[in-house]
Amino acid sequence: MRRYATRALLPPAALIAILALWQLWGTIVDANPPPLVSANLVLGQSSFITNSGYYFPANFGIQNPAGGLGANAFGPYGLAFDRPNNYLYVADAGTNRVLAWRNASSFTNGAPADLVIGQPDFNSITANNGGIGAGTLSSPYGVAVTPIGNLYVADKGNNRVLEYNTPFSTCASFPCVGPAASVVFGQGGGLSTGGSFITSGAALGFEGLSSPTGVAVDGAGNLYVADQGNNRVLEYNTPLANPTMPNVGANRVYGQPDFNSGTAGTSAVLLSAPTGIAISAGALFIADTSNNRVAEVLSPLSDQWASGRPGDRSDRFHGQWV
């Protein structure tokens, strides 16, 4: 004897009761919203109720007490925490520098930075101060720290990413002016020779960059760069494995069919102006800004993700239904 599944229907009275309970729950939640989470400390300002674009030299913003440029400072854009050493790095794009604090556990409101990178002192603000080189920056947006304490900076205005070897190790006293960069990405050099510190042109290819805004490092030391102007993310395999011959040419590209393409698009294989990236549990997350979504790549280092191979696509998207 064949049996058929049947679907039980709730009587109208039960449906009305459920809807009433749902409305009651909404009323309770509206009347009892979750508590606001308050910050404990603030850096870059003297208190929580100020937001000026200038304060004093070791804090964020352009130092111009009379106003002027200070009112238009971009301010801090990215930050990274060196957990083993308790260092905090902040990309202060408005003053073309990176600021760093050497002890995150001892912060007080308005605490001045201990180290500056990209400027000759804490009072200078000019992009590429004295001429573009290994010791200058122009609108740095993103920062990331390697497992051994080296620092990467997405130097957006110069179309490059810079790497600094353990910046605090050069400080004999504080406050301290940090070191010049040791390696440059995005300005030529390929897989065997270092790029140029005195050029800043935007380019495609495996050794070019255009307005990079985000950087991330995984546990193996691989570097990921959000190459915003080229609508892609680049991955460099352990670029610092050989300090005398760094790998400054990308090994993989995400968001484009090859290294020479840079057209924005909306699909599982294209990106549009990616801004930020993060690594978690082996997955790569990409803030696909102009597509209003986050793209997730579950296994970015697997063979199927080699540039140009089938399956070169994001696995999941967040922020969009399809």
Side-chain angles (χ1 to χ4, degrees), residues 15-30:
L15 290 174
I16 293 173
I18 291 172
L19 288 174
L21 288 173
W22 182 258
Q23 291 177 335
L24 176 61
W25 173 251
T27 302
I28 293 173
V29 171
D30 290 340

Side-chain angles (χ1 to χ4, degrees), residues 91-150:
D92 193 21
T95 53
N96 305 293
R97 64 185 182 176
V98 169
L99 295 177
W101 285 257
R102 57 183 165 139
N103 191 351
S105 62
S106 64
F107 287 157
T108 57
N109 283 346
D114 298 296
L115 178 143
V116 62
I117 293 172
Q119 296 290 351
D121 53 59
F122 284 93
N123 296 300
S124 299
I125 63 173
T126 305
N128 296 324
N129 202 329
I132 185 172
T136 68
L137 290 169
S138 177
S139 296
Y141 264 52
V143 284
V145 180
T146 74
I148 62 172
N150 294 337

Side-chain angles (χ1 to χ4, degrees), residues 127-320:
N128 296 324
N129 202 329
I132 185 172
T136 68
L137 290 169
S138 177
S139 296
Y141 264 52
V143 284
V145 180
T146 74
I148 62 172
N150 294 337
L151 176 71
Y152 286 108
V153 178
D155 190 13
K156 180 181 179 182
N158 286 325
N159 302 298
R160 65 185 186 178
V161 168
L162 298 177
E163 183 272 334
Y164 302 80
N165 293 336
T166 56
F168 275 95
S169 65
T170 64
C171 297
S173 61
F174 297 97
C176 169
V177 175
S182 300
V183 182
V184 58
F185 301 80
Q187 296 299 313
L191 300 174
S192 60
T193 60
S196 172
F197 285 104
I198 59 173
T199 60
S200 61
L204 283 165
F206 72 99
E207 56 186 28
L209 290 170
S210 177
S211 299
T213 53
V215 283
V217 183
D218 65 20
N222 300 306
L223 170 67
Y224 301 82
V225 177
D227 190 14
Q228 186 183 64
N230 286 327
N231 302 294
R232 64 185 185 176
V233 168
L234 296 180
E235 185 263 319
Y236 303 78
N237 290 342
T238 56
L240 306 180
N242 184 347
T244 62
M245 193 177 293
N247 168 28
V248 298
N251 300 97
R252 289 181 173 87
V253 59
Y254 309 108
Q256 296 294 332
D258 53 62
F259 285 108
N260 296 311
S261 300
T263 303
T266 306
S267 72
V269 296
L270 294 174
L271 297 170
S272 183
T275 302
I277 44 182
I279 303 289
S280 177
L284 171 65
F285 295 86
I286 303 168
D288 191 11
T289 302
S290 291
N291 280 328
N292 302 300
R293 66 185 185 181
V294 171
E296 180 183 356
V297 183
L298 294 178
S299 301
L301 296 181
S302 65
D303 288 341
Q304 69 173 353
W305 270 92
S307 176
R309 292 178 61 93
D312 208 3
R313 56 191 291 125
S314 298
D315 296 291
R316 288 195 288 239
F317 294 99
H318 307 271
Q320 299 292 332

